[in-house]
PDB file of all heavy atoms in Angstrom:
ATOM      1  N   MET W   1      -4.812  16.973  22.561  1.00 63.00           N
ATOM      2  CA  MET W   1      -4.132  15.741  22.238  1.00 63.00           C
ATOM      3  C   MET W   1      -4.274  15.498  20.735  1.00 63.00           C
ATOM      4  O   MET W   1      -5.344  15.638  20.178  1.00 63.00           O
ATOM      5  CB  MET W   1      -4.739  14.578  23.020  1.00 63.00           C
ATOM      6  CG  MET W   1      -4.051  13.276  22.674  1.00 63.00           C
ATOM      7  SD  MET W   1      -4.880  11.821  23.282  1.00 63.00           S
ATOM      8  CE  MET W   1      -4.339  11.760  24.941  1.00 63.00           C
ATOM      9  N   VAL W   2      -3.190  15.135  20.099  1.00 68.00           N
ATOM     10  CA  VAL W   2      -3.187  14.890  18.662  1.00 68.00           C
ATOM     11  C   VAL W   2      -3.342  13.398  18.417  1.00 68.00           C
ATOM     12  O   VAL W   2      -2.638  12.585  19.004  1.00 68.00           O
ATOM     13  CB  VAL W   2      -1.868  15.387  18.030  1.00 68.00           C
ATOM     14  CG1 VAL W   2      -1.819  15.072  16.565  1.00 68.00           C
ATOM     15  CG2 VAL W   2      -1.706  16.874  18.262  1.00 68.00           C
ATOM     16  N   THR W   3      -4.266  13.045  17.548  1.00 76.00           N
ATOM     17  CA  THR W   3      -4.460  11.634  17.221  1.00 76.00           C
ATOM     18  C   THR W   3      -3.405  11.198  16.211  1.00 76.00           C
ATOM     19  O   THR W   3      -2.856  12.021  15.478  1.00 76.00           O
ATOM     20  CB  THR W   3      -5.860  11.394  16.636  1.00 76.00           C
ATOM     21  OG1 THR W   3      -5.959  12.097  15.396  1.00 76.00           O
ATOM     22  CG2 THR W   3      -6.944  11.857  17.595  1.00 76.00           C
ATOM     23  N   PRO W   4      -3.113   9.911  16.149  1.00 77.00           N
ATOM     24  CA  PRO W   4      -2.119   9.436  15.175  1.00 77.00           C
ATOM     25  C   PRO W   4      -2.487   9.783  13.731  1.00 77.00           C
ATOM     26  O   PRO W   4      -1.615  10.120  12.935  1.00 77.00           O
ATOM     27  CB  PRO W   4      -2.100   7.921  15.383  1.00 77.00           C
ATOM     28  CG  PRO W   4      -2.572   7.725  16.769  1.00 77.00           C
ATOM     29  CD  PRO W   4      -3.558   8.833  17.030  1.00 77.00           C
ATOM     30  N   ALA W   5      -3.758   9.723  13.394  1.00 75.00           N
ATOM     31  CA  ALA W   5      -4.172  10.030  12.022  1.00 75.00           C
ATOM     32  C   ALA W   5      -3.853  11.482  11.673  1.00 75.00           C
ATOM     33  O   ALA W   5      -3.369  11.772  10.574  1.00 75.00           O
ATOM     34  CB  ALA W   5      -5.656   9.749  11.843  1.00 75.00           C
ATOM     35  N   VAL W   6      -4.093  12.399  12.606  1.00 81.00           N
ATOM     36  CA  VAL W   6      -3.806  13.817  12.361  1.00 81.00           C
ATOM     37  C   VAL W   6      -2.301  14.034  12.264  1.00 81.00           C
ATOM     38  O   VAL W   6      -1.824  14.767  11.392  1.00 81.00           O
ATOM     39  CB  VAL W   6      -4.411  14.696  13.476  1.00 81.00           C
ATOM     40  CG1 VAL W   6      -3.968  16.140  13.339  1.00 81.00           C
ATOM     41  CG2 VAL W   6      -5.925  14.589  13.463  1.00 81.00           C
ATOM     42  N   TYR W   7      -1.548  13.379  13.116  1.00 82.00           N
ATOM     43  CA  TYR W   7      -0.082  13.512  13.100  1.00 82.00           C
ATOM     44  C   TYR W   7       0.489  13.022  11.768  1.00 82.00           C
ATOM     45  O   TYR W   7       1.309  13.695  11.148  1.00 82.00           O
ATOM     46  CB  TYR W   7       0.525  12.739  14.268  1.00 82.00           C
ATOM     47  CG  TYR W   7       2.021  12.747  14.287  1.00 82.00           C
ATOM     48  CD1 TYR W   7       2.718  13.901  14.603  1.00 82.00           C
ATOM     49  CD2 TYR W   7       2.750  11.595  13.981  1.00 82.00           C
ATOM     50  CE1 TYR W   7       4.109  13.921  14.617  1.00 82.00           C
ATOM     51  CE2 TYR W   7       4.128  11.611  13.993  1.00 82.00           C
ATOM     52  CZ  TYR W   7       4.800  12.774  14.309  1.00 82.00           C
ATOM     53  OH  TYR W   7       6.160  12.785  14.316  1.00 82.00           O
ATOM     54  N   PHE W   8       0.052  11.853  11.316  1.00 80.00           N
ATOM     55  CA  PHE W   8       0.578  11.322  10.061  1.00 80.00           C
ATOM     56  C   PHE W   8       0.087  12.126   8.865  1.00 80.00           C
ATOM     57  O   PHE W   8       0.801  12.267   7.878  1.00 80.00           O
ATOM     58  CB  PHE W   8       0.229   9.841   9.911  1.00 80.00           C
ATOM     59  CG  PHE W   8       1.173   8.955  10.670  1.00 80.00           C
ATOM     60  CD1 PHE W   8       0.854   8.491  11.931  1.00 80.00           C
ATOM     61  CD2 PHE W   8       2.392   8.604  10.121  1.00 80.00           C
ATOM     62  CE1 PHE W   8       1.726   7.690  12.634  1.00 80.00           C
ATOM     63  CE2 PHE W   8       3.281   7.807  10.821  1.00 80.00           C
ATOM     64  CZ  PHE W   8       2.950   7.351  12.077  1.00 80.00           C
ATOM     65  N   GLU W   9      -1.116  12.678   8.941  1.00 83.00           N
ATOM     66  CA  GLU W   9      -1.585  13.551   7.864  1.00 83.00           C
ATOM     67  C   GLU W   9      -0.699  14.796   7.767  1.00 83.00           C
ATOM     68  O   GLU W   9      -0.343  15.230   6.674  1.00 83.00           O
ATOM     69  CB  GLU W   9      -3.040  13.956   8.104  1.00 83.00           C
ATOM     70  CG  GLU W   9      -3.632  14.751   6.972  1.00 83.00           C
ATOM     71  CD  GLU W   9      -5.104  15.046   7.192  1.00 83.00           C
ATOM     72  OE1 GLU W   9      -5.704  14.474   8.124  1.00 83.00           O
ATOM     73  OE2 GLU W   9      -5.642  15.858   6.434  1.00 83.00           O
ATOM     74  N   PHE W  10      -0.330  15.349   8.914  1.00 84.00           N
ATOM     75  CA  PHE W  10       0.593  16.490   8.938  1.00 84.00           C
ATOM     76  C   PHE W  10       1.931  16.117   8.309  1.00 84.00           C
ATOM     77  O   PHE W  10       2.477  16.850   7.480  1.00 84.00           O
ATOM     78  CB  PHE W  10       0.795  16.974  10.374  1.00 84.00           C
ATOM     79  CG  PHE W  10       1.943  17.924  10.534  1.00 84.00           C
ATOM     80  CD1 PHE W  10       1.836  19.237  10.117  1.00 84.00           C
ATOM     81  CD2 PHE W  10       3.143  17.502  11.081  1.00 84.00           C
ATOM     82  CE1 PHE W  10       2.900  20.128  10.262  1.00 84.00           C
ATOM     83  CE2 PHE W  10       4.211  18.371  11.224  1.00 84.00           C
ATOM     84  CZ  PHE W  10       4.085  19.689  10.811  1.00 84.00           C
ATOM     85  N   LEU W  11       2.474  14.960   8.698  1.00 82.00           N
ATOM     86  CA  LEU W  11       3.753  14.531   8.129  1.00 82.00           C
ATOM     87  C   LEU W  11       3.653  14.341   6.628  1.00 82.00           C
ATOM     88  O   LEU W  11       4.552  14.720   5.878  1.00 82.00           O
ATOM     89  CB  LEU W  11       4.226  13.230   8.788  1.00 82.00           C
ATOM     90  CG  LEU W  11       4.715  13.328  10.222  1.00 82.00           C
ATOM     91  CD1 LEU W  11       5.114  11.947  10.731  1.00 82.00           C
ATOM     92  CD2 LEU W  11       5.876  14.289  10.342  1.00 82.00           C
ATOM     93  N   GLU W  12       2.554  13.731   6.168  1.00 82.00           N
ATOM     94  CA  GLU W  12       2.374  13.506   4.741  1.00 82.00           C
ATOM     95  C   GLU W  12       2.288  14.821   3.974  1.00 82.00           C
ATOM     96  O   GLU W  12       2.853  14.955   2.892  1.00 82.00           O
ATOM     97  CB  GLU W  12       1.119  12.676   4.486  1.00 82.00           C
ATOM     98  CG  GLU W  12       1.241  11.232   4.930  1.00 82.00           C
ATOM     99  CD  GLU W  12      -0.070  10.480   4.837  1.00 82.00           C
ATOM    100  OE1 GLU W  12      -1.026  10.986   4.228  1.00 82.00           O
ATOM    101  OE2 GLU W  12      -0.129   9.365   5.381  1.00 82.00           O
ATOM    102  N   LEU W  13       1.615  15.793   4.535  1.00 83.00           N
ATOM    103  CA  LEU W  13       1.424  17.053   3.831  1.00 83.00           C
ATOM    104  C   LEU W  13       2.658  17.955   3.888  1.00 83.00           C
ATOM    105  O   LEU W  13       2.987  18.630   2.911  1.00 83.00           O
ATOM    106  CB  LEU W  13       0.226  17.804   4.408  1.00 83.00           C
ATOM    107  CG  LEU W  13      -1.134  17.183   4.152  1.00 83.00           C
ATOM    108  CD1 LEU W  13      -2.207  17.935   4.922  1.00 83.00           C
ATOM    109  CD2 LEU W  13      -1.448  17.169   2.672  1.00 83.00           C
ATOM    110  N   GLN W  14       3.344  17.985   4.996  1.00 85.00           N
ATOM    111  CA  GLN W  14       4.422  18.950   5.183  1.00 85.00           C
ATOM    112  C   GLN W  14       5.831  18.393   4.932  1.00 85.00           C
ATOM    113  O   GLN W  14       6.700  19.121   4.477  1.00 85.00           O
ATOM    114  CB  GLN W  14       4.373  19.526   6.608  1.00 85.00           C
ATOM    115  CG  GLN W  14       3.113  20.279   6.909  1.00 85.00           C
ATOM    116  CD  GLN W  14       2.993  21.540   6.076  1.00 85.00           C
ATOM    117  OE1 GLN W  14       3.961  22.234   5.839  1.00 85.00           O
ATOM    118  NE2 GLN W  14       1.791  21.828   5.632  1.00 85.00           N
ATOM    119  N   HIS W  15       6.056  17.133   5.248  1.00 85.00           N
ATOM    120  CA  HIS W  15       7.429  16.631   5.257  1.00 85.00           C
ATOM    121  C   HIS W  15       7.622  15.334   4.471  1.00 85.00           C
ATOM    122  O   HIS W  15       8.629  14.648   4.648  1.00 85.00           O
ATOM    123  CB  HIS W  15       7.885  16.398   6.703  1.00 85.00           C
ATOM    124  CG  HIS W  15       7.812  17.628   7.543  1.00 85.00           C
ATOM    125  ND1 HIS W  15       8.681  18.689   7.388  1.00 85.00           N
ATOM    126  CD2 HIS W  15       6.958  17.974   8.543  1.00 85.00           C
ATOM    127  CE1 HIS W  15       8.364  19.634   8.260  1.00 85.00           C
ATOM    128  NE2 HIS W  15       7.328  19.226   8.964  1.00 85.00           N
ATOM    129  N   LYS W  16       6.685  14.978   3.603  1.00 85.00           N
ATOM    130  CA  LYS W  16       6.745  13.705   2.903  1.00 85.00           C
ATOM    131  C   LYS W  16       8.021  13.566   2.068  1.00 85.00           C
ATOM    132  O   LYS W  16       8.728  12.566   2.154  1.00 85.00           O
ATOM    133  CB  LYS W  16       5.512  13.541   2.025  1.00 85.00           C
ATOM    134  CG  LYS W  16       5.380  12.182   1.404  1.00 85.00           C
ATOM    135  CD  LYS W  16       4.051  12.066   0.683  1.00 85.00           C
ATOM    136  CE  LYS W  16       3.777  10.649   0.282  1.00 85.00           C
ATOM    137  NZ  LYS W  16       2.434  10.493  -0.262  1.00 85.00           N
ATOM    138  N   VAL W  17       8.338  14.565   1.273  1.00 86.00           N
ATOM    139  CA  VAL W  17       9.505  14.500   0.393  1.00 86.00           C
ATOM    140  C   VAL W  17      10.799  14.499   1.203  1.00 86.00           C
ATOM    141  O   VAL W  17      11.713  13.706   0.942  1.00 86.00           O
ATOM    142  CB  VAL W  17       9.486  15.673  -0.614  1.00 86.00           C
ATOM    143  CG1 VAL W  17      10.749  15.701  -1.441  1.00 86.00           C
ATOM    144  CG2 VAL W  17       8.260  15.586  -1.499  1.00 86.00           C
ATOM    145  N   GLU W  18      10.874  15.372   2.202  1.00 88.00           N
ATOM    146  CA  GLU W  18      12.081  15.453   3.023  1.00 88.00           C
ATOM    147  C   GLU W  18      12.341  14.142   3.762  1.00 88.00           C
ATOM    148  O   GLU W  18      13.479  13.654   3.792  1.00 88.00           O
ATOM    149  CB  GLU W  18      11.937  16.595   4.027  1.00 88.00           C
ATOM    150  CG  GLU W  18      13.139  16.812   4.895  1.00 88.00           C
ATOM    151  CD  GLU W  18      12.940  17.947   5.886  1.00 88.00           C
ATOM    152  OE1 GLU W  18      11.903  18.619   5.847  1.00 88.00           O
ATOM    153  OE2 GLU W  18      13.838  18.138   6.716  1.00 88.00           O
ATOM    154  N   LEU W  19      11.291  13.554   4.347  1.00 84.00           N
ATOM    155  CA  LEU W  19      11.465  12.287   5.053  1.00 84.00           C
ATOM    156  C   LEU W  19      11.818  11.158   4.092  1.00 84.00           C
ATOM    157  O   LEU W  19      12.597  10.263   4.428  1.00 84.00           O
ATOM    158  CB  LEU W  19      10.202  11.947   5.848  1.00 84.00           C
ATOM    159  CG  LEU W  19       9.966  12.832   7.068  1.00 84.00           C
ATOM    160  CD1 LEU W  19       8.599  12.555   7.669  1.00 84.00           C
ATOM    161  CD2 LEU W  19      11.054  12.628   8.099  1.00 84.00           C
ATOM    162  N   HIS W  20      11.267  11.187   2.892  1.00 87.00           N
ATOM    163  CA  HIS W  20      11.615  10.165   1.901  1.00 87.00           C
ATOM    164  C   HIS W  20      13.081  10.287   1.508  1.00 87.00           C
ATOM    165  O   HIS W  20      13.786   9.285   1.374  1.00 87.00           O
ATOM    166  CB  HIS W  20      10.724  10.278   0.663  1.00 87.00           C
ATOM    167  CG  HIS W  20      11.026   9.231  -0.364  1.00 87.00           C
ATOM    168  ND1 HIS W  20      11.880   9.472  -1.403  1.00 87.00           N
ATOM    169  CD2 HIS W  20      10.607   7.956  -0.480  1.00 87.00           C
ATOM    170  CE1 HIS W  20      11.966   8.383  -2.143  1.00 87.00           C
ATOM    171  NE2 HIS W  20      11.204   7.435  -1.600  1.00 87.00           N
ATOM    172  N   ASN W  21      13.561  11.513   1.327  1.00 90.00           N
ATOM    173  CA  ASN W  21      14.965  11.714   0.976  1.00 90.00           C
ATOM    174  C   ASN W  21      15.899  11.282   2.108  1.00 90.00           C
ATOM    175  O   ASN W  21      16.978  10.757   1.858  1.00 90.00           O
ATOM    176  CB  ASN W  21      15.222  13.174   0.618  1.00 90.00           C
ATOM    177  CG  ASN W  21      14.588  13.565  -0.696  1.00 90.00           C
ATOM    178  OD1 ASN W  21      14.313  12.723  -1.545  1.00 90.00           O
ATOM    179  ND2 ASN W  21      14.339  14.852  -0.867  1.00 90.00           N
ATOM    180  N   LEU W  22      15.489  11.502   3.354  1.00 89.00           N
ATOM    181  CA  LEU W  22      16.334  11.147   4.498  1.00 89.00           C
ATOM    182  C   LEU W  22      16.345   9.647   4.791  1.00 89.00           C
ATOM    183  O   LEU W  22      17.381   9.072   5.128  1.00 89.00           O
ATOM    184  CB  LEU W  22      15.880  11.895   5.747  1.00 89.00           C
ATOM    185  CG  LEU W  22      16.147  13.395   5.782  1.00 89.00           C
ATOM    186  CD1 LEU W  22      15.461  14.024   6.984  1.00 89.00           C
ATOM    187  CD2 LEU W  22      17.638  13.662   5.826  1.00 89.00           C
ATOM    188  N   THR W  23      15.164   9.014   4.695  1.00 89.00           N
ATOM    189  CA  THR W  23      15.041   7.621   5.122  1.00 89.00           C
ATOM    190  C   THR W  23      14.872   6.630   3.982  1.00 89.00           C
ATOM    191  O   THR W  23      15.079   5.438   4.172  1.00 89.00           O
ATOM    192  CB  THR W  23      13.840   7.460   6.073  1.00 89.00           C
ATOM    193  OG1 THR W  23      12.641   7.751   5.349  1.00 89.00           O
ATOM    194  CG2 THR W  23      13.961   8.357   7.275  1.00 89.00           C
ATOM    195  N   GLY W  24      14.435   7.109   2.824  1.00 90.00           N
ATOM    196  CA  GLY W  24      14.156   6.198   1.715  1.00 90.00           C
ATOM    197  C   GLY W  24      12.799   5.528   1.837  1.00 90.00           C
ATOM    198  O   GLY W  24      12.470   4.625   1.079  1.00 90.00           O
ATOM    199  N   ARG W  25      12.010   5.948   2.798  1.00 87.00           N
ATOM    200  CA  ARG W  25      10.666   5.380   3.009  1.00 87.00           C
ATOM    201  C   ARG W  25       9.613   6.458   2.839  1.00 87.00           C
ATOM    202  O   ARG W  25       9.849   7.624   3.119  1.00 87.00           O
ATOM    203  CB  ARG W  25      10.538   4.779   4.406  1.00 87.00           C
ATOM    204  CG  ARG W  25      11.443   3.614   4.631  1.00 87.00           C
ATOM    205  CD  ARG W  25      11.312   3.097   6.042  1.00 87.00           C
ATOM    206  NE  ARG W  25      12.202   1.984   6.256  1.00 87.00           N
ATOM    207  CZ  ARG W  25      11.789   0.796   6.673  1.00 87.00           C
ATOM    208  NH1 ARG W  25      10.527   0.594   6.949  1.00 87.00           N
ATOM    209  NH2 ARG W  25      12.654  -0.173   6.834  1.00 87.00           N
ATOM    210  N   VAL W  26       8.441   6.026   2.416  1.00 84.00           N
ATOM    211  CA  VAL W  26       7.318   6.938   2.258  1.00 84.00           C
ATOM    212  C   VAL W  26       6.521   6.950   3.562  1.00 84.00           C
ATOM    213  O   VAL W  26       6.205   5.894   4.111  1.00 84.00           O
ATOM    214  CB  VAL W  26       6.412   6.505   1.082  1.00 84.00           C
ATOM    215  CG1 VAL W  26       5.204   7.410   0.953  1.00 84.00           C
ATOM    216  CG2 VAL W  26       7.202   6.498  -0.216  1.00 84.00           C
ATOM    217  N   VAL W  27       6.199   8.140   4.052  1.00 81.00           N
ATOM    218  CA  VAL W  27       5.421   8.275   5.284  1.00 81.00           C
ATOM    219  C   VAL W  27       3.960   7.970   4.963  1.00 81.00           C
ATOM    220  O   VAL W  27       3.369   8.566   4.080  1.00 81.00           O
ATOM    221  CB  VAL W  27       5.547   9.703   5.848  1.00 81.00           C
ATOM    222  CG1 VAL W  27       4.641   9.885   7.051  1.00 81.00           C
ATOM    223  CG2 VAL W  27       6.969  10.006   6.207  1.00 81.00           C
TER     224      VAL W  27
END
C-alpha cells in the first residue's frame, strides 16, 4: 500500500513540471 506522502513525493520528483504545464498548479 502506498501512503499519500510517498505518492505525492513521486509526483513531485517525476511529474512536477508536466503537471504544472497541464494544470497551472504546483503539485
